[in-house]
């Protein structure tokens, strides 16, 4: 059985590691020189996965043409000999000193899609509370639960399998990073610029008390202009240091809560990428010395070196959060505070349209099966797709989006009162509890 966590301690610290993946940008941006890069690679932690435990969509659905890394499209090699589309998983874990023996959830999960033909990058955050088939639990039974627990149960292999089978992908490579490196990375870069609301600045300063302590760095309050200059109806650009940027990525107590937080993570990632491209070799060398010991990956050295040189010329063209259409469940339907995709199948279609615009896609039998089970379990089918599902866009949270969130809350409460499992078993033609 899994080791039980201290709940109060977990709640206090869980916000600290939602943004670890940001520093992975530096890894793929700057390892261009062969001798220099070889020396730096000795600092990275390499983890070899048992490929028999990593399930991809193509392998499981052998008779179907799937999208993903093997996408059918016109491939023209770029200047670095790269072509087509590849996807990688960026993972953030709470692995601070003293916590190594505790269960580690993947509380930051980002799918990075690199289109070598177009030299573009698309990023998708998978919300950590997304209700999915996470694979076998510690007793060997299939478990539907929060997406972030797959890593705690079966490590990177089970985490990648969860992404692939629920989202119809073929990802086999990943990288994780500890959160402590992020503040130092941005600090050494000289900070980044962020557009924030007055509410966000207030929360940033509050979070930064704990962030600075955890990072063992001095606390510096971000100065707030007066309300006559900066009211609650507008945003303003602020230059933030390392711990302030980290604290911004931690914020969840605004409208949109965890969905907006995931969007803030992606924004900080984009800003970090942009700033890294302007840094000199001395700065990058210092950053790598700080970052690489906190990186774990199964990518080999030659591949990282090739991608490092290439990605310098790539641009992040779009970012999103998954699931696009969702309803927050406080535990009435699934037994836990999950984010329910409405539906999984329709959301996966939108995901592929986002990652690979214009490329035909048909959901696999596996995705349809998982989607049908979630509908059976929750009662939330296509008829409950919110009219204005919020995707955590930055920087504006509109009154319409706020109203949509309220509608979602009321909808799930109504469903909990009127849910009839027998009627859904009859409608969808099977009983998942029959065995």
């Amino acid at each position: 059985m899994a080791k039980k966590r201290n709940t109060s301690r977990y709640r206090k610290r869980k916000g600290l590691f939602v943004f670890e993946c940001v520093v992975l940008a530096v890894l793929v941006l700057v390892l261009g020189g062969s001798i220099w890069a070889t020396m730096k690679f000795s600092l990275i932690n390499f983890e070899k996965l048992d490929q028999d435990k990593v399930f991809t969509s193509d392998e499981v659905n052998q008779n179907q043409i799937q999208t993903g890394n093997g996408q059918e499209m016109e491939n023209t090699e770029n200047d670095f000999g790269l072509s087509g589309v590849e996807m990688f998983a960026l993972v953030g874990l709470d692995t601070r000193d003293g916590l190594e023996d505790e269960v580690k959830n993947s509380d930051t999960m980002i799918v990075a899609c690199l289109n070598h033909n177009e030299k573009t990058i698309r990023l998708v955050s998978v919300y950590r509370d997304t209700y999915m088939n996470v694979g076998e639990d510690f007793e060997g039974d299939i478990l539907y639960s929060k997406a972030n627990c797959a890593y705690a149960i079966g490590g990177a292999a089970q985490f990648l399998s969860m992404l692939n089978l629920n989202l119809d992908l073929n990802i086999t490579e990943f990288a994780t990073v500890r959160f402590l490196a992020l503040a130092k990375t941005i600090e050494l870069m000289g900070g980044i610029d962020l557009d924030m609301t007055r509410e966000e600045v207030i929360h940033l300063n509050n979070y930064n008390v704990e962030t600075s302590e955890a990072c063992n760095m001095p606390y510096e309050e971000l100065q707030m202009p007066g309300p006559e200059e900066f009211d609650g109806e507008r945003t303003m650009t602020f230059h933030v240091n390392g711990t302030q940027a980290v604290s911004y990525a931690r914020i969840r107590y605004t409208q949109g809560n965890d969905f907006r937080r995931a969007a803030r993570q992606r924004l900080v990632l984009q800003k970090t990428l942009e700033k890294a491209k302007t840094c000199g070799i001395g700065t990058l060398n210092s950053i790598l010395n700080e970052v690489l010991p906190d990186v774990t990956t199964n990518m080999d050295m030659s591949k990282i070196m090739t991608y490092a040189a290439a990605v310098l010329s790539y641009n992040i063209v779009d970012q999103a959060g998954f699931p696009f259409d969702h309803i927050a469940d406080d535990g009435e339907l699934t037994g836990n505070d999950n984010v329910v995709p409405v539906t999984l199948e329709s959301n996966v279609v939108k995901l592929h349209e986002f990652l690979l615009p214009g490329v035909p896609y048909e959901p696999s039998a596996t995705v349809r099966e998982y989607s049908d089970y979630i509908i059976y379990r929750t009662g939330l089918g296509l008829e409950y797709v919110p009219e204005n599902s919020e995707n955590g866009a930055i920087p504006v949270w509109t009154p319409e989006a706020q109203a949509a969130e309220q509608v979602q809350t009321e909808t799930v409460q109504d469903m909990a009162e009127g849910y009839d499992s027998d009627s859904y078993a009859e409608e969808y033609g099977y009983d998942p509890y029959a065995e």
Side-chain angles (χ1 to χ4, degrees), residues 196-199 225-236:
M196 288 182 281
T197 64
R198 187 177 185 87
E199 183 183 19
E228 68 283 352
E229 179 183 355
F230 184 40
D231 59 26
E233 301 299 322
R234 72 185 78 178
T235 62
M236 181 175 288

Side-chain angles (χ1 to χ4, degrees), residues 255 397-407:
Q255 291 292 340
W397 179 261
T398 66
E400 290 77 14
Q402 182 177 353
E405 184 179 38
Q406 179 63 31
V407 169

Side-chain angles (χ1 to χ4, degrees), residues 42-61:
S42 64
L43 302 175
I44 300 176
N45 302 297
F46 288 93
E47 178 180 342
K48 185 176 181 180
L49 296 185
D50 183 350
Q51 293 303 319
D52 291 337
K53 295 182 179 180
V54 179
F55 299 100
T56 63
S57 183
D58 280 351
E59 291 171 341
V60 173
N61 302 280

Side-chain angles (χ1 to χ4, degrees), residues 202-423:
I202 293 172
H203 284 298
L204 181 154
N205 283 327
N206 291 335
Y207 273 104
N208 197 25
V209 175
E210 185 180 12
T211 303
S212 299
E213 180 180 356
C215 295
N216 195 26
M217 298 173 69
Y219 171 80
E220 183 178 338
E221 182 177 356
L222 193 62
Q223 296 302 310
M224 174 86 76
E228 68 283 352
E229 179 183 355
F230 184 40
D231 59 26
E233 301 299 322
R234 72 185 78 178
T235 62
M236 181 175 288
T237 301
F238 291 85
H239 187 76
V240 298
N241 63 23
T243 61
Q244 290 168 345
V246 164
S247 298
Y248 172 80
R250 293 178 57 193
I251 298 172
R252 74 179 297 176
Y253 296 110
T254 61
Q255 291 292 340
N257 50 67
D258 203 38
F259 310 120
R260 285 274 289 175
R261 178 169 61 176
R264 292 186 185 98
Q265 296 167 25
R266 298 191 303 271
L267 179 64
V268 172
L269 173 56
Q270 183 172 359
K271 294 290 186 178
T272 304
L273 276 165
E274 294 170 356
K275 190 63 178 284
K277 293 180 180 181
T278 69
C279 293
I281 190 68
T283 299
L284 296 176
N285 183 61
S286 298
I287 291 171
L288 291 176
N289 288 336
E290 293 285 352
V291 172
L292 295 188
D294 292 323
V295 172
T296 299
T297 184
N298 66 335
M299 293 179 64
D300 62 53
M301 182 187 304
S302 60
K303 188 166 188 178
I304 295 179
M305 289 176 62
T306 300
Y307 279 72
V311 172
L312 282 167
S313 63
Y314 289 19
N315 293 309
I316 297 177
V317 294
D318 212 346
Q319 49 180 298
F322 183 93
F324 299 86
D325 301 321
H326 51 263
I327 289 179
D329 174 26
D330 62 2
E332 293 292 334
L333 300 180
T334 62
N336 210 333
D337 53 339
N338 293 297
V339 172
V340 180
V342 187
T343 64
L344 178 64
E345 181 178 352
S346 62
N347 272 287
V348 172
V349 170
K350 289 186 176 183
L351 174 68
H352 283 256
E353 291 174 347
F354 174 84
L355 293 173
L356 301 162
V359 178
Y361 166 72
E362 182 70 23
S364 69
T366 300
V367 166
R368 293 197 298 270
E369 176 188 345
Y370 292 179
S371 184
D372 286 347
Y373 175 84
I374 293 172
I375 293 172
Y376 173 90
R377 183 72 176 84
T378 66
L380 299 174
L382 281 172
E383 66 272 27
Y384 291 98
V385 173
E387 292 183 3
N388 297 296
S389 188
E390 169 59 27
N391 189 36
I394 289 288
V396 179
W397 179 261
T398 66
E400 290 77 14
Q402 182 177 353
E405 184 179 38
Q406 179 63 31
V407 169
Q408 291 179 19
T409 301
E410 294 173 353
T411 299
V412 77
Q413 291 172 346
D414 292 342
M415 282 303 307
E417 295 176 359
Y419 176 52
D420 183 352
S421 61
D422 292 336
S423 66

